[in-house]
Amino acid sequence: MSSDAEQPARRIAVLISGSGTNLQAIIDAAEAGHLPGAEVVLVVSNRRDAFGLTRAEMHGIPTLYFPLKPYTSEGKSREDYDRDLAEQVAAAAPDLVVLAGWMHVFSPVFLDYFPHRVINIHPALPGKFAGTNAIERTFEAWQNEEVDVGGCMVHYVVPEVDAGKPLVIAHVPILPSDVLSDFEVRLHAAEHQIIVQAVRLALARIWSDEN
Ligand code: GRF
């Protein structure tokens, strides 16, 4: 029996803001038995029209739409939002929280609920192009001969944006014939691989920490 097979059932919460192709990669891997014992038990979006919510519903996964706007309209703080969302996520008792295209920077208020158990995917290499539009900025930097390769990573989340210890990194080449969309397609394909590898690795680390 492999060490994976010995792991107990693991609960994953996935937070999204958009299409949810990385969420889909996790769901597909779990359903195919490539994440032994793991199950996506909750999908949260801060955007109502995020297609990832539909993806979750199509697989019978509970969803939660949790927007920031009502908080800002009522003069509440980001910490209030983070605390209330953390409570909602904690109610699903996740072993791992995956930020998969989640366009909101968490304060320590959220992160403290799930110490060492929140991971994030970023479409650039460690220390590169933190924040939004990382793919476009990488491509532009390549055109300006400032970088010669792109990449993506999954890392543990810390309060600093797109920083934190990397779990899995993939270098993604940019070819001379590429237009931006060619690089984007290649990069997203790499993301769909590393998100699954990172979930598997993070769950294995949780298991080894407990044993
Ligand atoms: C990914 O490129 C991820 O790296 C970035 O947002 C995108 C989300 O894509 N943070 P999807 O919603 O998983 O399709």
Side-chain angles (χ1 to χ4, degrees):
M1 194 188 276
S2 76
S3 61
D4 271 352
E6 290 159 11
Q7 289 190 43
R10 293 299 186 188
R11 301 171 66 80
I12 305 171
V14 184
L15 277 58
I16 60 156
S17 300
S19 169
T21 60
N22 286 284
L23 163 69
Q24 189 72 57
I26 296 168
I27 293 171
D28 290 348
E31 289 186 354
H34 298 146
L35 294 170
E39 186 186 0
V40 180
V41 294
L42 177 67
V43 171
V44 179
S45 174
N46 60 344
R47 294 193 181 148
R48 192 196 296 279
D49 60 356
F51 185 63
L53 289 173
T54 305
R55 293 180 191 273
E57 283 157 12
M58 288 187 325
H59 289 265
I61 299 166
T63 60
L64 171 68
Y65 165 54
F66 201 83
L68 177 63
K69 191 132 187 269
Y71 283 78
T72 47
S73 312
E74 290 174 25
K76 291 185 180 168
S77 68
R78 288 289 279 257
E79 283 78 10
D80 292 329
Y81 174 85
D82 284 6
R83 183 175 302 104
D84 290 352
L85 177 53
E87 292 279 354
Q88 296 270 346
V89 173
D95 297 288
L96 185 67
V97 178
V98 181
L99 310 186
W102 173 250
M103 301 297 285
H104 173 91
V105 178
F106 278 131
S107 68
V109 170
F110 182 93
L111 300 177
D112 287 351
Y113 272 75
F114 312 100
H116 310 297
R117 298 204 176 202
V118 185
I119 64 174
N120 176 57
I121 186 158
H122 178 58
L125 294 167
K128 302 280 187 194
F129 308 106
T132 55
N133 301 320
I135 301 175
E136 291 82 350
R137 288 188 288 143
T138 301
F139 194 74
E140 199 180 310
W142 174 78
Q143 287 177 314
N144 295 333
E145 300 185 358
E146 292 158 8
V147 299
D148 49 20
V149 69
C152 50
M153 67 165 167
V154 178
H155 62 94
Y156 286 102
V157 177
V158 294
E160 191 186 338
V161 180
D162 297 323
K165 199 170 166 205
L167 258 166
V168 182
I169 297 168
H171 288 83
V172 178
I174 307 174
L175 307 182
S177 58
D178 276 357
V179 293
L180 174 60
S181 59
D182 296 319
F183 174 53
E184 269 175 339
V185 168
R186 196 176 303 119
L187 191 127
H188 288 311
E191 285 192 311
H192 302 155
Q193 303 273 326
I194 67 165
I195 192 78
V196 174
Q197 292 167 9
V199 167
R200 192 183 297 123
L201 188 56
L203 292 176
R205 283 188 185 171
I206 289 168
W207 181 79
S208 85
D209 285 350
E210 289 171 352
N211 289 276

mmCIF file of all heavy atoms in Angstrom, residues 18-23 100-101 121-123 135 188 191, ligand 1:
data_model
loop_
_atom_site.group_PDB
_atom_site.id
_atom_site.type_symbol
_atom_site.label_atom_id
_atom_site.label_comp_id
_atom_site.label_asym_id
_atom_site.label_seq_id
_atom_site.Cartn_x
_atom_site.Cartn_y
_atom_site.Cartn_z
ATOM 1 N N GLY A 18 -13.169 33.500 -10.825
ATOM 2 C CA GLY A 18 -13.371 33.552 -12.273
ATOM 3 C C GLY A 18 -13.772 32.230 -12.884
ATOM 4 O O GLY A 18 -14.593 31.491 -12.337
ATOM 5 N N SER A 19 -13.107 31.905 -13.980
ATOM 6 C CA SER A 19 -13.504 30.751 -14.794
ATOM 7 C C SER A 19 -13.405 29.419 -14.049
ATOM 8 O O SER A 19 -14.201 28.514 -14.258
ATOM 9 C CB SER A 19 -12.633 30.717 -16.049
ATOM 10 O OG SER A 19 -12.823 29.509 -16.713
ATOM 11 N N GLY A 20 -12.402 29.290 -13.215
ATOM 12 C CA GLY A 20 -12.300 28.074 -12.409
ATOM 13 C C GLY A 20 -11.695 26.892 -13.136
ATOM 14 O O GLY A 20 -11.981 25.736 -12.789
ATOM 15 N N THR A 21 -10.809 27.152 -14.104
ATOM 16 C CA THR A 21 -10.184 26.011 -14.777
ATOM 17 C C THR A 21 -9.227 25.270 -13.836
ATOM 18 O O THR A 21 -9.072 24.052 -13.947
ATOM 19 C CB THR A 21 -9.432 26.436 -16.062
ATOM 20 O OG1 THR A 21 -8.402 27.375 -15.725
ATOM 21 C CG2 THR A 21 -10.377 27.044 -17.078
ATOM 22 N N ASN A 22 -8.611 25.979 -12.920
ATOM 23 C CA ASN A 22 -7.757 25.290 -11.931
ATOM 24 C C ASN A 22 -8.600 24.497 -10.943
ATOM 25 O O ASN A 22 -8.218 23.391 -10.542
ATOM 26 C CB ASN A 22 -6.855 26.301 -11.219
ATOM 27 C CG ASN A 22 -5.727 26.773 -12.106
ATOM 28 O OD1 ASN A 22 -4.764 26.050 -12.315
ATOM 29 N ND2 ASN A 22 -5.878 27.956 -12.678
ATOM 30 N N LEU A 23 -9.732 25.060 -10.553
ATOM 31 C CA LEU A 23 -10.686 24.289 -9.741
ATOM 32 C C LEU A 23 -11.068 23.003 -10.474
ATOM 33 O O LEU A 23 -11.084 21.918 -9.886
ATOM 34 C CB LEU A 23 -11.944 25.141 -9.492
ATOM 35 C CG LEU A 23 -13.182 24.377 -9.020
ATOM 36 C CD1 LEU A 23 -12.990 23.843 -7.612
ATOM 37 C CD2 LEU A 23 -14.430 25.275 -9.099
ATOM 38 N N ALA A 100 -7.520 29.586 -5.941
ATOM 39 C CA ALA A 100 -7.323 29.240 -7.356
ATOM 40 C C ALA A 100 -7.929 30.352 -8.211
ATOM 41 O O ALA A 100 -9.065 30.261 -8.661
ATOM 42 C CB ALA A 100 -7.953 27.887 -7.666
ATOM 43 N N GLY A 101 -7.154 31.430 -8.373
ATOM 44 C CA GLY A 101 -7.674 32.581 -9.096
ATOM 45 C C GLY A 101 -8.538 33.462 -8.209
ATOM 46 O O GLY A 101 -9.407 34.181 -8.706
ATOM 47 N N ILE A 121 -2.224 29.776 -6.297
ATOM 48 C CA ILE A 121 -1.530 29.634 -7.591
ATOM 49 C C ILE A 121 -1.284 31.009 -8.175
ATOM 50 O O ILE A 121 -2.162 31.881 -8.158
ATOM 51 C CB ILE A 121 -2.305 28.720 -8.562
ATOM 52 C CG1 ILE A 121 -1.474 28.490 -9.826
ATOM 53 C CG2 ILE A 121 -3.694 29.267 -8.903
ATOM 54 C CD1 ILE A 121 -1.855 27.238 -10.583
ATOM 55 N N HIS A 122 -0.051 31.201 -8.665
ATOM 56 C CA HIS A 122 0.334 32.490 -9.256
ATOM 57 C C HIS A 122 0.988 32.216 -10.613
ATOM 58 O O HIS A 122 1.884 31.369 -10.701
ATOM 59 C CB HIS A 122 1.312 33.222 -8.325
ATOM 60 C CG HIS A 122 1.785 34.528 -8.869
ATOM 61 N ND1 HIS A 122 0.924 35.550 -9.209
ATOM 62 C CD2 HIS A 122 3.043 34.979 -9.161
ATOM 63 C CE1 HIS A 122 1.621 36.573 -9.661
ATOM 64 N NE2 HIS A 122 2.905 36.260 -9.648
ATOM 65 N N PRO A 123 0.560 32.941 -11.661
ATOM 66 C CA PRO A 123 1.080 32.632 -13.004
ATOM 67 C C PRO A 123 2.420 33.303 -13.310
ATOM 68 O O PRO A 123 2.600 33.911 -14.367
ATOM 69 C CB PRO A 123 -0.038 33.141 -13.922
ATOM 70 C CG PRO A 123 -0.620 34.292 -13.184
ATOM 71 C CD PRO A 123 -0.496 33.955 -11.711
ATOM 72 N N ILE A 135 0.720 37.404 -16.382
ATOM 73 C CA ILE A 135 1.032 36.752 -17.671
ATOM 74 C C ILE A 135 1.387 37.818 -18.711
ATOM 75 O O ILE A 135 2.406 37.716 -19.401
ATOM 76 C CB ILE A 135 -0.158 35.894 -18.151
ATOM 77 C CG1 ILE A 135 -0.492 34.818 -17.113
ATOM 78 C CG2 ILE A 135 0.152 35.269 -19.508
ATOM 79 C CD1 ILE A 135 -1.730 33.997 -17.427
ATOM 80 N N HIS A 188 -1.371 28.223 -18.853
ATOM 81 C CA HIS A 188 -2.528 27.656 -18.131
ATOM 82 C C HIS A 188 -2.444 26.126 -18.095
ATOM 83 O O HIS A 188 -2.809 25.511 -17.085
ATOM 84 C CB HIS A 188 -3.842 28.126 -18.758
ATOM 85 C CG HIS A 188 -4.141 29.576 -18.496
ATOM 86 N ND1 HIS A 188 -4.064 30.128 -17.232
ATOM 87 C CD2 HIS A 188 -4.501 30.589 -19.316
ATOM 88 C CE1 HIS A 188 -4.359 31.417 -17.299
ATOM 89 N NE2 HIS A 188 -4.622 31.723 -18.550
ATOM 90 N N GLU A 191 -0.265 25.349 -15.326
ATOM 91 C CA GLU A 191 -0.950 25.584 -14.043
ATOM 92 C C GLU A 191 -1.816 24.390 -13.659
ATOM 93 O O GLU A 191 -1.861 23.991 -12.489
ATOM 94 C CB GLU A 191 -1.837 26.832 -14.134
ATOM 95 C CG GLU A 191 -1.082 28.135 -14.108
ATOM 96 C CD GLU A 191 -2.015 29.311 -13.903
ATOM 97 O OE1 GLU A 191 -3.033 29.407 -14.619
ATOM 98 O OE2 GLU A 191 -1.717 30.141 -13.036
HETATM 99 C C1 GRF B 1 -4.837 31.651 -13.108
HETATM 100 O O1 GRF B 1 -4.014 32.041 -14.157
HETATM 101 C C2 GRF B 1 -4.187 31.912 -11.777
HETATM 102 O O2 GRF B 1 -2.823 31.725 -11.794
HETATM 103 C C3 GRF B 1 -4.510 33.372 -11.582
HETATM 104 O O3 GRF B 1 -5.833 33.498 -12.016
HETATM 105 C C4 GRF B 1 -6.078 32.526 -13.027
HETATM 106 C C5 GRF B 1 -7.301 31.761 -12.634
HETATM 107 O O4 GRF B 1 -7.784 30.984 -13.676
HETATM 108 N N1 GRF B 1 -4.271 33.760 -10.222
HETATM 109 P P1 GRF B 1 -8.997 29.984 -13.452
HETATM 110 O O5 GRF B 1 -10.143 30.777 -12.826
HETATM 111 O O6 GRF B 1 -8.537 28.873 -12.565
HETATM 112 O O7 GRF B 1 -9.354 29.504 -14.827
#
